[in-house]
């Protein structure tokens, strides 16, 4: 899902290039203080309570402009049971949506659950995500947790995002202007310095307005080191999410703060991909699964609502807290395509949020639709940064005959994944560049689609450098290494076993490699024995193969320890450089690149 390779050498982006973000039935029940199970709420709200509007979103990933292709739509379930794709996203629309939603709500707070930055399109990524932080300041973000991608460029760069200052290597991007940093606090309660044991950023903050106090605790997934390069998390320790939240909830209670929201960069998988799916539906197979379910069941009842992320899914569910009282758990998909509106009924007498076992106000996900007006100040922001990026971003690097789906594809084998793997194989196959025979690409590293429709004035079918960068934004260095056939088989089995047993991560494979995935089986047995072939010949367990992959996979990222066993490593060009070179070599205006058939992995369901 959100796991992906991460930049080990962030300065390459600018140094080298400059030289050349309807209803669901999530519930926040109302009537008694959190953790209590008292009488149902009265028909009318008592005078001693006020409604606090909590607006939230997650996993923006620097998508300031509307995302292209399938990445820029949400699935909407229709009354007749059918679904349709609705275009969504773009900070100009997100800002207007949030500002419109706040009208008539004297108590409104806006929060996010991490990955605001990182794996960003060129407009933000080229400038080390300063444009995104500036955009979040303007649209009124009050607080966010960190996510794994906030560590893409390491602790020092995350600290700069909070405090401001120009980039240590690339300097200031606009003459006479110094980056001011985030007006909102980044919360990292479960991330500590491995030497001092102290949190690297604030663990919590307290939002106050006219006598109302709500505490926010922010955590990222404990497994962040498994989905970020070692350089990005160097010197840091990541702690258990539940233990950390419970610790700081107790601390906030001691300070007299009884209303608490946890911002958790970890998530779940609803049974339906439709944003308006009722994930509290009682039918067989309905509901939500994934890591957030266990977390929600164990986080102290002192916490009144959980805003989550990481899986890029949309849901507004209720999961019982340890006392058995329903508690809202929400996520607003990704890329600024949705926002969640949750009503927190605050009891002024006790300073707590009202919750009971009786269903109460709904938490609802709303589409950030593109038919509404744009926020003029955000349009001005995009225009300013686009002018700076234009010389690099607008340069054509390839041509396509139709959409080539990547991030927007729900299939295990993605057409764009095949293109990327082929680009890596071709670039590293020559003897002097690695002698690669196979290339593997992790699916989380494909950040967008290649859309045939023009995003600007370049013309339909033209792929610009900015669009290529959006697909491969990490500038990860490529490596070629020796793996035995047995190790190749082990890696393919690790897609569906071990750390990936519950949520398979299917590697994208280069041409010539083929195998069968039997989803009717479980664990490693899903990879059909004897089906793995390279250029028609069965993989020999004893033979050595030269295998290309990005440095994230080389380090065993995304649950692939087999890759760590590789020998004779040779570092090559970056993934982005190879992708661009492949597009240039295999497409012209008269002979555009066509979407590949994506037939290398045979799926049995």
């Amino acid at each position: 899902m959100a796991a992906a390779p991460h930049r080990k050498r962030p300065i390459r982006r600018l140094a080298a290039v400059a030289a050349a973000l309807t209803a669901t039935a999530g519930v926040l029940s109302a009537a008694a203080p959190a953790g209590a199970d008292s009488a149902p709420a009265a028909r009318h709200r008592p005078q001693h309570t006020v409604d606090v509007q909590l607006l939230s979103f997650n996993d923006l990933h620097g998508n300031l402009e509307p995302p292209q292709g399938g990445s820029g739509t949400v699935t909407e379930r229709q009354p007749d049971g059918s679904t349709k794709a609705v275009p969504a996203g773009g900070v100009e629309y997100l800002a207007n949506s949030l500002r419109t939603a706040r009208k008539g709500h004297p108590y409104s707070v806006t929060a996010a659950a991490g990955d605001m930055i990182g794996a960003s399109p060129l407009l933000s990524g080229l400038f080390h995500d300063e444009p995104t932080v500036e955009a979040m300041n303007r649209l009124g973000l009050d607080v966010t947790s960190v996510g794994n991608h906030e560590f893409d460029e390491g602790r020092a760069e995350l600290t700069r995002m909070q405090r401001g200052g120009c980039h240590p290597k690339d300097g200031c991007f606009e003459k006479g202007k110094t980056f001011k940093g985030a007006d909102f606090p980044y919360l990292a309660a479960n991330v500590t310095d491995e030497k001092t044991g102290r949190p690297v950023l604030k663990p919590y903050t307290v939002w106050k307005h006219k006598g109302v106090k709500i505490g926010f605790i922010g955590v990222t997934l404990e497994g962040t080191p498994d989905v970020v390069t070692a350089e990005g998390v160097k010197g840091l320790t990541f702690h258990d999410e539940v233990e950390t939240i419970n610790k700081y909830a107790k601390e906030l209670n001691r300070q007299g703060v009884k209303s608490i929201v946890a911002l958790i960069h970890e998530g779940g998988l609803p049974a339906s991909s439709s944003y308006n799916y009722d994930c509290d539906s009682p039918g067989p197979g309905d509901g939500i699964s994934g890591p957030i379910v266990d977390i929600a069941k164990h986080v102290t009842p002192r916490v009144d609502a959980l805003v989550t992320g990481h899986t890029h899914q949309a849901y507004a569910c209720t999961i019982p807290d340890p006392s058995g009282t329903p508690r809202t758990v929400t996520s607003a998909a990704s890329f600024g395509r949705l926002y969640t509106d949750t009503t927190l009924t605050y009891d002024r007498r006790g300073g707590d949020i009202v919750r009971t076992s009786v269903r109460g106000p709904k938490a609802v996900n709303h589409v950030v639709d593109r038919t509404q007006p744009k926020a003029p100040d955000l349009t001005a922001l995009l225009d300013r940064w686009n002018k700076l990026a234009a010389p690099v971003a607008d340069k054509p690097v390839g041509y396509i005959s139709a959409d080539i789906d990547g991030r927007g594809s729900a299939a295990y084998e993605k057409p764009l994944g095949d293109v990327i793997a082929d680009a890596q194989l071709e670039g590293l196959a020559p003897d002097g560049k690695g002698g690669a025979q196979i290339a593997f690409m992790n699916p989380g590293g494909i950040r967008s689609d290649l859309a045939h429709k023009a995003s600007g004035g370049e013309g339909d079918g033209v792929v610009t450098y900015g669009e290529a960068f959006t697909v491969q934004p990490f500038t990860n260095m490529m490596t070629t290494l020796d793996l035995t056939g047995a190790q190749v088989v082990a890696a393919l089995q690790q897609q569906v076993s071990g750390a990936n047993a519950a949520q398979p991560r299917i590697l994208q494979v280069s041409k010539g490699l083929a195998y069968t995935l039997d989803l009717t089986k479980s664990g490693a047995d899903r990879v059909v024995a004897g089906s793995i072939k390279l250029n028609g010949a069965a993989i020999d367990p004893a033979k050595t193969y030269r295998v290309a992959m990005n440095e994230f996979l080389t380090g065993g990222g995304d649950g692939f320890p087999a890759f760590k066993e590789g020998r004779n490593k040779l570092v090559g060009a970056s993934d982005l450089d190879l992708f661009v070179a492949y597009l240039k070599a295999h497409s012209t205006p008269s002979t555009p690149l066509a979407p590949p058939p994506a037939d290398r992995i045979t799926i049995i369901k």
Side-chain angles (χ1 to χ4, degrees):
M1 295 286 179
H6 296 256
R7 292 184 283 271
K8 192 173 183 179
R9 302 179 184 180
I11 63 171
R12 290 189 77 257
R13 286 177 318 206
L14 191 63
V17 170
L21 201 316
T22 56
T24 42
V27 175
L28 189 67
S29 300
D37 192 13
S38 56
R43 180 179 298 275
H44 302 289
R45 192 184 69 231
Q47 291 184 352
H48 57 80
T49 65
V50 296
D51 284 344
V52 178
Q53 179 189 58
L54 172 61
L55 302 177
S56 58
F57 56 98
N58 50 276
D59 295 276
L60 180 67
H61 291 288
N63 280 265
L64 301 180
E65 298 177 304
Q68 285 198 308
S71 297
T73 65
V74 291
T75 300
E76 182 178 79
R77 186 169 184 172
Q78 305 301 299
D80 63 0
S82 63
T83 61
K84 74 174 183 178
V86 180
V91 292
E92 297 161 289
Y93 303 111
L94 177 60
N96 190 69
S97 290
L98 295 175
R99 290 166 182 172
T100 300
R102 290 175 189 137
K103 292 179 180 178
H105 294 275
Y107 299 88
S108 183
V109 57
T110 303
D115 277 7
M116 293 296 97
I117 60 175
S120 304
L122 185 137
L123 179 58
S124 186
L126 184 63
F127 305 106
H128 296 280
D129 282 314
E130 290 182 18
T132 295
V133 174
E134 185 179 346
M136 296 302 97
N137 288 342
R138 291 198 181 195
L139 61 73
L141 183 61
D142 291 299
V143 58
T144 185
S145 67
V146 295
N148 53 288
H149 282 278
E150 263 78 21
F151 295 93
D152 279 0
E153 298 188 33
R155 172 182 179 176
E157 180 65 0
L158 174 55
T159 300
R160 188 179 76 88
M161 292 292 99
Q162 180 71 86
R163 299 177 181 174
C166 297
H167 192 272
K169 297 289 179 64
D170 293 335
C172 299
F173 299 115
E174 296 179 283
K175 186 177 180 179
K177 291 185 178 181
T178 299
F179 176 56
K180 295 180 180 180
D183 292 341
F184 51 90
Y186 270 105
L187 305 182
N190 67 330
V191 188
T192 61
D193 183 288
E194 65 180 15
K195 292 182 179 180
T196 67
R198 296 176 179 175
V200 297
L201 291 172
K202 293 178 63 174
Y204 60 82
T205 191
V206 179
W207 177 82
K208 301 177 182 179
H209 184 66
K210 296 181 180 180
V212 173
K213 295 189 298 184
I214 298 179
F216 288 88
I217 302 169
V219 299
T220 186
L221 67 154
E222 183 182 9
T224 291
D226 298 327
V227 293
V228 178
T229 56
E231 190 68 21
V233 295
K234 185 177 181 180
L236 303 176
T237 301
F238 292 77
H239 302 271
D240 181 84
E241 304 95 336
V242 172
E243 292 177 3
T244 302
I245 293 169
N246 290 352
K247 170 187 173 181
Y248 286 110
K250 188 175 182 180
E251 183 172 318
L252 282 167
N253 271 202
R254 285 199 298 264
Q255 296 175 15
V257 180
K258 297 181 180 180
S259 298
I260 301 172
V261 175
L263 307 176
I264 309 173
H265 192 71
E266 180 60 288
L269 301 169
S272 170
S273 61
S274 298
Y275 80 87
N276 54 344
Y277 162 67
D278 182 356
C279 68
D280 286 336
S281 297
D286 279 338
I288 185 171
S289 60
I292 200 61
V293 176
D294 188 59
I295 291 172
K297 288 180 177 179
H298 290 88
V299 165
T300 174
R302 291 186 175 99
V303 173
D304 300 295
L306 278 59
V307 176
T308 73
H310 189 55
T311 57
H312 291 203
Q313 302 298 303
Y315 48 85
C317 303
T318 52
I319 300 175
D321 69 19
S323 74
T325 305
R327 179 166 54 192
T328 299
V329 181
T330 68
S331 174
S334 62
F335 301 166
R337 295 173 293 163
L338 300 174
Y339 73 91
T340 311
D341 189 336
T342 304
T343 301
L344 305 174
T345 300
Y346 185 90
D347 187 339
R348 287 184 176 276
R349 296 181 305 183
D352 204 352
I353 299 300
V354 175
R355 287 198 297 125
T356 72
S357 59
V358 179
R359 294 174 68 92
K362 294 179 179 179
V364 181
N365 276 323
H366 296 282
V367 179
V368 178
D369 70 89
R370 301 180 197 166
T371 61
Q372 64 184 306
K374 298 178 180 180
D377 56 330
L378 272 298
T379 299
L381 181 148
L382 298 190
D383 288 346
R384 198 180 88 239
W385 287 103
N386 266 317
K387 287 180 182 178
L388 291 173
V392 171
D394 295 345
K395 185 178 180 180
V397 296
Y399 305 86
I400 56 176
S401 64
D403 290 354
I404 304 182
D405 294 336
R407 190 73 181 187
S409 171
Y412 281 141
E413 182 183 353
K414 309 174 190 302
L416 189 51
D418 287 358
V419 172
I420 293 171
D422 287 351
Q424 295 174 354
L425 177 64
E426 183 171 293
L428 301 178
D431 289 338
K433 296 186 177 182
Q437 300 166 277
I438 301 170
F440 288 122
M441 175 64 196
N442 59 312
I446 306 169
R447 305 307 299 185
S448 183
D449 303 329
L450 282 182
H452 184 264
K453 184 178 180 180
S455 59
E458 74 276 12
D460 291 349
V462 180
V463 180
T464 65
Y465 184 85
E467 291 167 341
F469 184 100
T470 298
V471 171
Q472 293 268 264
F474 299 101
T475 317
N476 247 336
M477 303 309 295
M478 293 296 300
T479 59
T480 310
L481 43 84
D482 287 347
L483 288 175
T484 65
Q487 290 168 332
V488 170
V489 172
L492 292 174
Q493 292 174 332
Q494 286 164 5
Q495 299 176 112
V496 290
S497 63
N500 297 323
Q503 300 177 38
R505 285 193 173 99
I506 306 303
L507 296 165
Q508 309 299 286
V509 300
S510 56
K511 61 182 178 181
L513 187 67
Y515 71 96
T516 298
L517 193 63
D518 188 347
L519 300 180
T520 66
K521 297 181 180 179
S522 61
D525 289 340
R526 292 174 177 173
V527 177
V528 178
S531 71
I532 308 170
K533 296 182 179 180
L534 178 61
N535 299 322
I539 289 288
D540 184 345
K543 185 178 178 179
T544 297
Y545 298 86
R546 292 292 286 170
V547 183
M549 66 193 74
N550 59 53
E551 59 186 340
F552 173 70
L553 283 177
T554 304
D558 268 357
F560 292 97
F563 291 144
K564 296 173 69 174
E565 300 172 8
R567 297 289 182 267
N568 299 320
K569 299 177 184 178
L570 180 65
V571 178
S574 75
D575 50 9
L576 178 60
D577 288 344
L578 294 181
F579 184 45
V580 169
Y582 186 86
L583 291 172
K584 288 181 176 179
H586 292 273
S587 67
T588 67
S590 60
T591 58
L593 183 67
D599 56 1
R600 299 166 188 180
I601 306 174
T602 300
I603 307 293
I604 300 176
K605 297 182 179 181

